[in-house]
Amino acid sequence: MKYMTSAEIREKYLSFFEEKGCKRWPSSSLIPDDPSLLLTSAGMVQFKPYFLQQKHLEAPYIGTTTVQKCVRTNDIEIIGTTGRHQSFFEMLGNFSFGEYFKEEMCAWAYEFSTEVLGLPADRLYFTVFLDDDETIEIWKKLGVPDDHISRLGEEDNFWRAGPTGPCGPCSEIYFDQGEEFGCGSPDCAPGCDCDRFLEYWNCVFTQYDGQEDGTLKPLPKKNIDTGMGLERMAAIMQGVQSNYETDVLRSLVAVGEKLTGTVYGEDPAADLSLRIMADHSRAVAFMIADGILPSNEGRGYVLRRLLRRAVMKGHLLGLDKPFLNDYVDEIVNLMGHVYPEIVDNRQLMGRIILSEEERFGANLRQGRAFLDDALAKLEGTVLPGDQAFTLHDTYGFPVEVTRELCEERGIQVDMDGFGVCMEEQRNRARAANTKDAEAAWSTYGGVMAEILEAVGPTEFVGYTKNDADARVLAIVKDGQQVDALAAGEEGRVVLDVTPFYAEKGGQIGDAGVLAKNDALAAVLDTKEPEKGLIAHSVKMLEDAPEGRIQVGDTVRAAIDVPRRERIRRNHTATHILHWALREVLGDHVKQAGSLVAENRLRFDFTHFEAMTAEQIAEVERLANQKVMENHAVRAYETSLASAREAGVMALFGEKYGEFVRVLDIEGFSQELCGGTHVSATSEIGFIKVTSESSVGANLRRIEAVTSFDALAYMNRVEAELKETAEELRVPLFDVGERTAANMKQLKELQGKLKRNRQTVADDGITKLVDSAAAAKGGYPVIIGRLGEADAGQMRNGWDVLRARMAAPGAAVLAGEKDGTPILLAAGTPEAVAAGFDAGAVIKAISSNIKGGGGGKAAMAQAGGKDASGIDAALDAAREMLL
């Protein structure tokens, strides 16, 4: 066999299937379009719409071929322990959506293996499903001998998407690595757990539709779904026993060798760490390049776990400073020509990785010390769950990291106890985060569900109308359905039709009125307690004391239009700011929450560091440029599939149904959004960013105002500036310069004052040193006041005195801070050996200051309530010691 690099294998595969009529397709993101998947873990993920006949390839293509970047972490604990498992890997694949099937696939697989890769035919073995006689005959026609074909059961050679749906047999191709890799059993064959027969290609023939009764119904169009692991194929072509010895991964292992001075192959424990660092660094780099940021949930948690596991292994090899970016440089060098996203996002990757490493590195050192101490005191072989939780909660240790560190020492972790602590924390968080409004609405949950079942969903007409005639379908007061609300009463009213927007998607609910001839109700808020049911929180006005609103009435429902207009301007502004943030900071920016009120807006987004003043200014400039350009704003409904195909951005955390509402700001922004918006960007008037802050790891928050609220904000800033200018007696735009000059002068004065105080303090220390007298035990002792000092300053004072005393001795010192007295007694080991006992001294004299305290023979202290007793306390010390 001819040696081939990973790059050569990758290109030969893609070119081969291109020549057969398949369209070369780029790898999709590690963030899958399929919401049921956490990460892209197979080549077929991006082609699901084609397999389902929702999309179709254009002629003349008969299929597709890809090299797909994948991440799988369901077996993270064994990554590195074998030579065949990685968290990140490349999957070579070719796919047919009804155009070619078994005969072509088997023939091409055989041709590619033997003619392109040059694998010896006598070392190839094939497995098929038990009753798949058709595939067996195909392999035989290609020249494969009977003793190189095995039948395996459903677990090995039958693929299913689920209990029902598309499924079919598969045929796997194995390479015989030789008897020296085998188990020695005469029955050794493909499917054996030993390393002799290495499976490198799986060809799935999706030809059935599995029914609920277990029967297999033939599909009208039969599909091909294949996968060849590039790393496994590289191991075969490069004649090595482990994927970690192939060109790409071995180069990354070499990075670890250089960083640590460790030689791969000399120490099994070190080798494991080197393999994990090499593998995990590659996964981390590609995940960040695709827009995944470290967090405590979902794919962000997977990323953080991989990164921290790599850092932990580095620490075990002596790396106590950030090092993962050395790996990223090599990854970009090795793979950047194939995956340009890791080149384009190199700066982003570097910043995020460095930030996470620094944060976790500090926690790791502290956590390791905590764990070492806990294990040293441990009786038995099980670490209590509450201690594992402390490592998780206080030091940021994923429990998996704690388990690995413990397992290295033969210790188990009480996972049940850990789970109890986690649940208690969740309960505390739920209780702490329950808002008053949510608590109030929760009392109506049951009754609102009953109302929805009885009357059906509310028709919302507020996108096009500000008012509408509506019929009252239900009224709720104090958690119970009632027939009517009288003057002065409060409750919730459900209508058949409403122009009132219910709070959701970050936009607050509408306010307004419900009116009929003899009654008027103020709508204070609007919510959606059950999906599709809109409830109006109302208070009956007392202007018409005889008036009532009751079930069955027809009312005029009218929103507060000026308030709605302010909300609309702010909501559209959040979309413009989202666009501007991505322009300035990068495509990793994603919405992570928002608040759209009538007087302000708040937008949370993914980003790894505080924005600079220049970045904020540029975001503001770009946003207002789009406002002034007066782009048309259009909202329309379409299917979710069509929206995704058009590249419409979905917002973080939102769940969408089959049909969605798209907000299209002409020329630059398309996002799914069900809120209310302006019809042209110029209606916003002006966007002013008021603050930027952190709301969690890799999450930032920007706040802003628009239109008249922006004007009011700027007027307030100007008024404050004018007032400051008058106080400083300078022109308006000289305030900054004068303030800086004043601050410089103030710092100089403060420094001078500090130096003067230090001079006085030094003089006081000198006098105390000179006042040392011989104690009864023969050692020198200083008894006196330190002046204004707290406990920390008292201890510092003793350190200075001890250093300046002519011989090792002791001291009894008194200080006072804000009227509170404090006593300190301390002695050197020599003084303690000669009979000095600080604890006994403090116990004897502290009553003079109406206080108490204690300590050890070398140091003790006491606080009190009566500073007038300090002199008496010092006199008592003199009498006791001198």
Side-chain angles (χ1 to χ4, degrees):
M1 296 184 298
K2 179 184 176 182
Y3 178 97
M4 287 187 188
T5 65
S6 296
E8 288 174 326
I9 298 168
R10 186 190 296 117
E11 181 56 36
K12 286 181 181 294
Y13 185 96
L14 294 173
S15 297
F16 178 83
F17 282 99
E18 266 190 316
E19 292 172 1
K20 300 300 183 184
C22 294
K23 181 178 181 180
R24 184 185 294 219
W25 210 281
S27 172
S28 67
S29 169
L30 288 170
I31 304 175
D33 285 335
D34 188 338
S36 67
L37 298 175
L38 189 66
L39 293 159
T40 300
S41 58
M44 58 79 61
V45 170
Q46 65 173 316
F47 299 115
K48 286 179 72 174
Y50 294 89
F51 283 122
L52 297 173
Q53 301 296 313
Q54 296 170 344
K55 289 184 178 180
H56 303 278
L57 282 176
E58 297 179 359
Y61 298 110
I62 63 170
T64 61
T65 183
T66 65
V67 51
Q68 175 65 49
K69 51 192 178 185
C70 300
V71 168
R72 290 181 189 170
T73 57
N74 54 321
D75 55 359
I76 189 171
E77 286 79 11
I78 66 171
I79 289 172
T81 62
T82 76
R84 306 300 178 201
H85 289 83
Q86 288 92 46
S87 59
F88 176 92
F89 58 94
E90 295 178 85
M91 183 67 78
L92 304 172
N94 60 282
F95 309 90
S96 170
F97 317 113
E99 300 300 323
Y100 66 85
F101 199 49
K102 286 183 181 180
E103 286 206 21
E104 296 90 339
M105 185 61 240
C106 291
W108 294 341
Y110 194 81
E111 179 185 351
F112 183 78
S113 296
T114 57
E115 297 183 20
V116 178
L117 296 180
L119 299 178
D122 61 351
R123 296 180 69 177
L124 300 185
Y125 286 77
F126 304 80
T127 63
V128 297
F129 184 55
L130 286 172
D131 60 2
D132 188 6
D133 296 332
E134 179 185 7
T135 302
I136 288 179
E137 290 305 314
I138 293 173
W139 288 127
K140 286 182 178 180
K141 287 179 183 178
L142 292 169
V144 178
D146 287 345
D147 60 356
H148 281 230
I149 303 174
S150 306
R151 296 178 187 262
L152 295 179
E154 184 166 338
E155 182 178 347
D156 295 290
N157 281 88
F158 197 93
W159 178 87
R160 293 182 184 272
T164 60
C167 59
C170 60
S171 182
E172 296 178 323
I173 310 177
Y174 290 74
F175 180 75
D176 182 1
Q177 300 192 91
E179 292 183 4
E180 62 273 22
F181 291 86
C183 57
S185 169
D187 298 325
C188 184
C192 181
D193 291 335
C194 72
D195 288 338
R196 174 174 178 177
F197 296 97
L198 178 64
E199 182 259 313
Y200 67 89
W201 204 342
N202 186 17
C203 304
V204 179
F205 310 125
T206 313
Q207 62 190 94
Y208 300 115
D209 183 7
Q211 305 298 300
E212 290 186 2
D213 61 3
T215 59
L216 300 176
K217 180 181 178 182
L219 287 171
K221 285 198 171 185
K222 299 174 181 179
N223 305 314
I224 290 292
D225 166 18
T226 78
M228 175 194 287
L230 176 58
E231 290 81 4
R232 287 196 178 189
M233 196 68 252
I236 294 172
M237 299 305 299
Q238 294 170 23
V240 295
Q241 298 181 20
S242 164
N243 293 358
Y244 291 94
E245 296 172 15
T246 59
D247 53 345
V248 173
L249 282 172
R250 186 62 183 85
S251 295
L252 295 179
V253 169
V255 173
E257 289 180 296
K258 182 179 179 180
L259 288 169
T260 64
T262 306
V263 178
Y264 187 69
E266 291 187 348
D267 176 15
D271 291 350
L272 175 62
S273 292
L274 290 172
R275 287 193 293 268
I276 289 173
M277 292 157 67
D279 169 82
H280 289 10
S281 62
R282 190 165 64 151
V284 165
F286 275 89
M287 291 172 78
I288 295 174
D290 276 354
I292 300 171
L293 296 181
S295 70
N296 290 327
E297 59 184 12
R299 56 181 68 97
Y301 176 74
V302 173
L303 169 60
R304 175 166 283 166
R305 183 181 174 192
L306 289 168
L307 189 150
R308 289 184 171 183
R309 195 166 185 255
V311 171
M312 182 193 73
K313 294 302 181 183
H315 274 248
L316 292 177
L317 296 180
L319 296 175
D320 58 357
K321 294 181 180 179
F323 61 86
L324 283 178
N325 272 303
D326 289 62
Y327 283 92
V328 176
D329 287 338
E330 183 66 7
I331 291 163
V332 171
N333 178 55
L334 292 167
M335 306 180 72
H337 64 290
V338 180
Y339 301 102
E341 61 271 22
I342 63 175
V343 178
D344 297 340
N345 292 297
R346 176 64 186 93
Q347 186 178 21
L348 168 70
M349 291 149 58
R351 288 181 176 180
I352 292 176
I353 288 170
L354 179 61
S355 172
E356 282 289 307
E357 275 195 280
E358 289 176 337
R359 181 184 296 114
F360 184 57
N363 287 351
L364 184 58
R365 286 185 288 274
Q366 297 171 14
R368 285 291 298 273
F370 174 88
L371 180 59
D372 289 342
D373 184 60
L375 294 180
K377 298 176 181 177
L378 185 65
E379 295 181 3
T381 59
V382 179
L383 182 74
D386 61 341
Q387 293 184 342
F389 176 76
T390 298
L391 282 164
H392 161 82
D393 195 47
T394 304
Y395 300 105
F397 271 42
V399 71
E400 298 85 4
V401 169
T402 301
R403 291 177 69 178
E404 285 190 40
L405 290 172
C406 288
E407 286 171 2
E408 291 171 1
R409 308 188 197 187
I411 304 296
Q412 294 182 326
V413 175
D414 175 14
M415 293 304 296
D416 291 338
F418 175 81
V420 169
C421 292
M422 285 294 293
E423 186 59 31
E424 289 175 351
Q425 184 194 56
R426 293 188 190 102
N427 291 336
R428 288 193 297 269
R430 291 188 195 106
N433 292 331
T434 300
K435 299 177 182 178
D436 292 340
E438 292 173 345
W441 276 93
S442 67
T443 60
Y444 298 96
V447 70
M448 288 298 179
E450 294 172 3
I451 292 172
L452 176 62
E453 186 175 354
V455 303
T458 310
E459 181 185 355
F460 175 66
V461 296
Y463 288 132
T464 57
K465 295 182 178 181
N466 295 329
D467 52 56
D469 289 328
R471 188 163 62 91
V472 177
L473 299 180
I475 299 173
V476 174
K477 179 185 176 186
D478 297 329
Q480 302 293 325
Q481 287 197 63
V482 296
D483 292 329
L485 289 176
E489 292 184 332
E490 296 184 22
R492 273 75 182 173
V493 176
V494 176
L495 307 174
D496 63 339
V497 175
T498 184
F500 286 80
Y501 182 86
E503 178 182 332
K504 58 180 174 291
Q507 179 174 327
I508 64 173
D510 276 331
V513 296
L514 303 181
K516 67 172 195 173
N517 292 336
D518 60 347
L520 186 66
V523 178
L524 308 176
D525 196 6
T526 310
K527 292 186 181 290
E528 190 177 36
E530 296 288 336
K531 186 170 178 60
L533 187 74
I534 297 177
H536 310 76
S537 177
V538 307
K539 180 175 182 179
M540 297 295 296
L541 301 184
E542 299 181 2
D543 295 346
E546 302 301 321
R548 292 157 54 89
I549 286 183
Q550 56 190 19
V551 175
D553 282 349
T554 296
V555 297
R556 188 67 177 174
I559 66 171
D560 180 339
V561 175
R563 180 177 181 272
R564 164 75 80 80
E565 292 300 319
R566 295 170 71 190
I567 294 170
R568 280 156 40 104
R569 289 191 283 266
N570 285 341
H571 203 156
T572 306
T574 65
H575 290 265
I576 297 175
L577 283 171
H578 191 187
W579 167 82
L581 286 164
R582 289 171 63 86
E583 288 290 305
V584 173
L585 302 179
D587 290 343
H588 65 280
V589 169
K590 301 285 190 303
Q591 178 172 340
S594 67
L595 170 68
V596 181
E598 74 271 25
N599 60 343
R600 65 190 178 98
L601 66 91
R602 184 180 74 215
F603 187 82
D604 297 345
F605 58 98
T606 54
H607 189 50
F608 49 85
E609 63 184 1
M611 294 176 65
T612 64
E614 293 75 17
Q615 288 172 331
I616 294 172
E618 180 63 7
V619 165
E620 194 172 80
R621 185 191 71 79
L622 288 173
N624 282 295
Q625 178 178 317
K626 293 303 181 184
V627 169
M628 305 304 176
E629 288 173 356
N630 196 25
H631 292 266
V633 180
R634 183 172 69 100
Y636 62 92
E637 289 191 355
T638 185
S639 69
L640 180 60
S642 297
R644 282 181 169 156
E645 188 172 351
V648 176
M649 186 182 299
L651 301 188
F652 176 84
E654 290 291 322
K655 301 297 182 183
Y656 300 102
E658 183 180 355
F659 294 95
V660 293
R661 190 171 177 84
V662 175
L663 182 75
D664 183 359
I665 306 179
E666 179 188 45
F668 66 95
S669 175
Q670 277 192 314
E671 296 182 312
L672 300 182
C673 183
T676 60
H677 294 274
V678 299
S679 58
T681 59
S682 62
E683 294 177 34
I684 296 170
F686 175 54
I687 300 173
K688 178 61 187 174
V689 175
T690 59
S691 71
E692 192 271 348
S693 60
S694 170
V695 288
N698 302 309
L699 284 178
R700 307 296 301 178
R701 171 173 292 172
I702 198 167
E703 299 189 60
V705 287
T706 67
S707 189
F708 291 106
D709 293 296
L711 177 62
Y713 177 85
M714 295 306 298
N715 284 341
R716 181 180 172 187
V717 171
E718 184 182 26
E720 292 282 344
L721 188 60
K722 285 180 177 178
E723 184 178 340
T724 305
E726 291 174 2
E727 288 289 334
L728 295 174
R729 298 180 181 180
V730 296
L732 194 65
F733 294 109
D734 288 347
V735 166
E737 184 178 347
R738 175 58 62 85
T739 300
N742 287 351
M743 289 301 297
K744 181 180 179 182
Q745 184 179 15
L746 177 61
K747 288 180 180 179
E748 290 174 352
L749 290 172
Q750 287 173 333
K752 185 176 181 181
L753 177 61
K754 184 178 180 180
R755 289 191 296 274
N756 290 339
R757 284 179 174 174
Q758 187 64 45
T759 300
V760 172
D762 287 345
D763 184 56
I765 290 290
T766 300
K767 288 180 179 179
L768 283 172
V769 172
D770 292 342
S771 72
K776 294 174 182 178
Y779 54 87
V781 63
I782 295 170
I783 302 174
R785 284 178 178 261
L786 266 183
E788 184 177 346
D790 59 20
Q793 291 166 327
M794 294 281 283
R795 289 190 292 271
N796 290 339
W798 161 241
D799 290 339
V800 175
L801 287 172
R802 181 175 55 184
R804 292 175 61 174
M805 290 175 75
V812 180
L813 306 172
E816 182 182 351
K817 185 77 171 180
D818 298 327
T820 300
I822 186 167
L823 300 173
L824 175 77
T828 64
E830 293 84 355
V832 172
F836 179 77
D837 187 338
V841 172
I842 288 298
K843 185 176 181 180
I845 71 174
S846 59
S847 61
N848 290 283
I849 60 170
K850 295 182 180 180
K856 298 181 180 180
M859 182 176 287
Q861 66 182 47
K865 301 177 181 178
D866 185 5
S868 66
I870 287 178
D871 289 338
L874 294 176
D875 287 341
R878 292 187 184 97
E879 184 176 346
M880 182 177 180
L881 297 172
L882 300 177

